[in-house]
Structure formats: structure tokens, C-alpha cells
Amino acid sequence: MKTILTAILCSLALSMVAQTSKPVVIAHRGASGYLPEHTLEAKVLAHAMGADFLEQDVVLTKDDVPIVMHDTQLDTISDVAQRFPDRKRANGHYYALDFTLAEIKQLHANERMNPKTGRAVFPNRFPLGRSSFQIPTLEEELQLIQGLNKTCGRVAGIYPEIKQPGWHRKQGHDISRIVLPILRRYGYATKQDPCWIQCFEPDEVKRIRTELGWEGRLLLLLPPGWLTRANMAELAKVADGIGPELSAIVSGTSKADRKVTDFVKEAHAAKLSVHPYTLRADDLPKFADSMDDALEVLFTEAQIDGLFSDFPDMVVKWLSKHGAR
Ligand code: CA
């Protein structure tokens, strides 16, 4: 009897492990393949599409309010050049850090465009200059997600990226020290909470864990072409995951010559989760000839633990079809 009970308990424990290790879908800047990136609308859609985590890129305003926006400059995703033409820096860019929140709230957010040509970066995405969108604050977005978690009965996690903390500090603003207390106030504090913090700067990742005492999950992003395999064991002392670009996982310039690298194996050996960026249906990696093909090689062959995508619905569907949801 005792043996049977032990066997049942063991299999239960195993199935729970399998459950928690299912790959996660991270909506990159929200469902940004369908709506302007980082608008609340793009986050609502990503939530409805069943993404596990919704990404926030976080930068500061002049009055130290964290807002959700990919670049430190406002040029490519808003009408700042029309509204405040005399507020650019000597390099021609308009920085969020030079505008108060009240000023930023006067801007219209738009689909990503090239400010030099005025054309959309992804021509088949949401039309430029249509409808009405704003740049949200981090708190507005957390309230939106938690509200949806309540009304939809499904918890989507958050995945904030601390943008350019070194640059922010040089400008006199300590972004991590401002963002962390907000996350804690909204209930994101431990590794059991549905939250990953991500950052491209290794020193800041270490600082977030040590000096700033963050006890939640933490991921180091690797800039394109930059591999720190030798440092994975070292990284694992402070971080829970690593986020390289897709080409670090699968090399090659066509389906015919692609090869799964040792990256995931080495990260897993160091007990790091691997969440690469960014899979886009309208800008496929060279190693794949379709979204399904890319998903197959990344999840089935390379065994990644999660994926940033502008098209979270396609990733959710593929994983469901393959029994991983
Ligand atoms: Ca990001």
C-alpha cells in the first residue's frame, strides 16, 4: 500500500514538474504584430491571445515616472517632432527623459516608423496615423493586466525590461531603484510571482540581485552576436535565465544549412532558462521557411524554455497543437 502511495505521489510530483517546465510565450511589446507596440491595446490583445507573459520595456520621464516604451527616444513611435519641434537634443533625437509625464501624455503613439523616411518599419502592420493611442505608464499597464487577470480568470505574467540603466544613471536617474519598489507594491517580489525582470547590462543584473535585493526571477539579455557561454555558471549565481537572439540557438542562413547550437544545453547545464528574442512572422529568421518551421526547430529540437514573439497567438497555437499547453 505504502509503495503504491509513494508511486502515486512520485508520479504526481513528476507531472507537476512537467507542468511548470512547459515553455512560456512572451508577447514581445504586447501583440505588436497586430497593434502599435507597447500600447495598452497591444497588451489587451496579447492577454486575450493567451500569452503567458506580457513584456514591458521601461524608461523614465524627466519627473522619474516609469513609462512603457522600447527606445529612450520618442522619435520612432510618436508625433513628438510635430508637437515639440524645439525639444530635440543636439543629436537630433527627442528623449523621454527630457519630457514630463504630462507632456508625454499629450503625444500620440503610433506604429514603429523610420523618422527619416516617415515610413512604417513593418509595412503590413497596423496603419500609421490611424486611431488614437498613448504611451502608458508602468503602473497603468500593471493595473490593466491585473484587471484582465481578474475579469478573464487567467493570470498573465509581466516581463519588465530595465532599459539602459547605465545611461539613465549617467543622466542622473537610477531607473532600477525606482522600478523595483513599484513591482513589489503590485505583488511581484518572489520567484513564485508571475514576473521576470530582464536587462541587457550584466553589471545591473548583478546589482538588481545583490545591492537592490530583488528576490524574483531575473534574466540577462545578450546583445546580438555576443555569447558568454563560459560565464554561464557565473551568471547562474545571480540570474535565472538568459535571453540571446535566435541565431545563438540555431545557426545557419537557410533551412538546409541550419544547425542547433550547444547554447541551450550549456545554459541548462548551468540551470539557466533560455528565452530567446524575437520571432516575427513578417521577418522570419533566415534558418526557417515558415513560423511553424521556426517553432519546430526552436521548441522541439533546441528545447528552449520560452520565446519572445510579436505574434504570440501563433506560438500559443503551435504549442497547443503539440501538447505543450
Ligand atoms: Ca525588450
Side-chain angles (χ1 to χ4, degrees):
M1 186 64 196
K2 200 178 167 191
T3 323
I4 295 169
L5 197 62
T6 311
I8 291 171
L9 285 174
C10 279
S11 77
L12 265 178
L14 276 176
S15 70
M16 279 169 72
V17 169
Q19 196 75 33
T20 52
S21 64
K22 279 187 176 172
V24 295
V25 181
I26 307 149
H28 183 245
R29 310 181 197 170
S32 57
Y34 304 92
L35 279 159
E37 65 182 50
H38 284 320
T39 56
L40 292 182
E41 288 82 353
K43 301 302 162 71
V44 171
L45 187 57
H47 195 291
M49 286 172 165
D52 299 298
F53 289 89
L54 313 185
E55 190 203 24
Q56 299 76 35
D57 288 313
V58 185
V59 305
L60 292 180
T61 64
K62 189 177 184 177
D63 40 352
D64 278 339
V65 182
I67 56 173
V68 181
M69 196 173 96
H70 179 267
D71 307 333
T72 49
Q73 307 104 334
L74 293 151
D75 317 19
T76 54
I77 53 92
S78 81
D79 57 351
V80 67
Q82 285 85 55
R83 298 226 164 202
F84 299 98
D86 55 344
R87 299 277 295 277
K88 56 177 179 279
R89 290 193 183 183
N91 64 7
H93 291 296
Y94 299 82
Y95 286 83
L97 210 44
D98 297 336
F99 293 81
T100 63
L101 178 64
E103 288 170 335
I104 284 171
K105 283 295 183 185
Q106 294 172 39
L107 302 176
H108 284 127
N110 54 249
E111 181 61 38
R112 177 161 289 265
M113 55 134 184
N114 179 337
K116 284 193 187 120
T117 62
R119 296 227 178 97
V121 171
F122 297 98
N124 294 323
R125 294 194 180 185
F126 198 87
L128 275 176
R130 292 301 177 103
S131 195
S132 174
F133 302 100
Q134 273 201 344
I135 297 166
T137 67
L138 176 63
E139 284 204 63
E140 284 169 343
E141 179 154 335
L142 299 183
Q143 288 173 17
L144 176 89
I145 293 169
Q146 295 192 344
L148 284 170
N149 289 349
K150 181 184 175 203
T151 54
C152 299
R154 186 185 77 83
V155 172
I158 63 166
Y159 213 124
E161 179 185 346
I162 310 285
K163 297 299 284 194
Q164 301 193 32
W167 178 84
H168 270 96
R169 268 196 284 168
K170 263 189 216 149
Q171 306 282 322
H173 299 254
D174 191 343
I175 182 167
S176 299
R177 206 176 268 286
I178 291 169
V179 169
L180 262 52
I182 295 175
L183 298 181
R184 291 190 183 109
R185 188 147 48 79
Y186 279 84
Y188 304 105
T190 73
K191 291 187 188 186
Q192 281 71 53
D193 300 319
C195 172
W196 281 85
I197 288 183
Q198 48 170 335
C199 186
F200 269 109
E201 296 178 19
D203 287 348
E204 192 74 3
V205 164
K206 197 171 174 189
R207 177 175 179 251
I208 287 169
R209 181 65 86 210
T210 54
E211 186 186 330
L212 302 180
W214 174 247
E215 292 176 355
R217 286 174 283 187
L218 189 54
L219 175 133
L220 175 70
L221 293 160
L222 296 185
W226 198 61
L227 300 179
T228 57
R229 290 180 205 180
N231 295 333
M232 279 189 190
E234 196 58 33
L235 175 64
K237 289 178 187 165
V238 290
D240 307 283
I242 188 162
E245 63 165 357
L246 294 172
S247 63
I249 308 292
V250 182
S251 65
T253 51
S254 70
K255 187 174 177 173
D257 73 358
R258 78 181 173 208
K259 197 169 174 293
V260 172
T261 69
D262 290 334
F263 190 96
V264 177
K265 261 186 214 151
E266 290 176 11
H268 285 173
K271 296 198 162 43
L272 290 168
S273 294
V274 182
H275 297 170
Y277 64 91
T278 303
L279 186 63
R280 300 182 167 102
D282 51 1
D283 185 17
L284 285 170
K286 289 192 179 80
F287 61 73
D289 60 10
S290 68
M291 275 294 267
D292 279 3
D293 182 39
L295 291 163
E296 172 75 31
V297 68
L298 287 166
F299 284 112
T300 311
E301 292 180 42
Q303 300 275 305
I304 59 170
D305 306 288
L307 179 63
F308 287 89
S309 179
D310 294 1
F311 298 83
D313 55 330
M314 294 186 189
V315 188
V316 168
K317 270 184 206 147
W318 189 90
L319 288 172
S320 303
K321 204 171 127 191
H322 292 80
R325 303 291 287 171

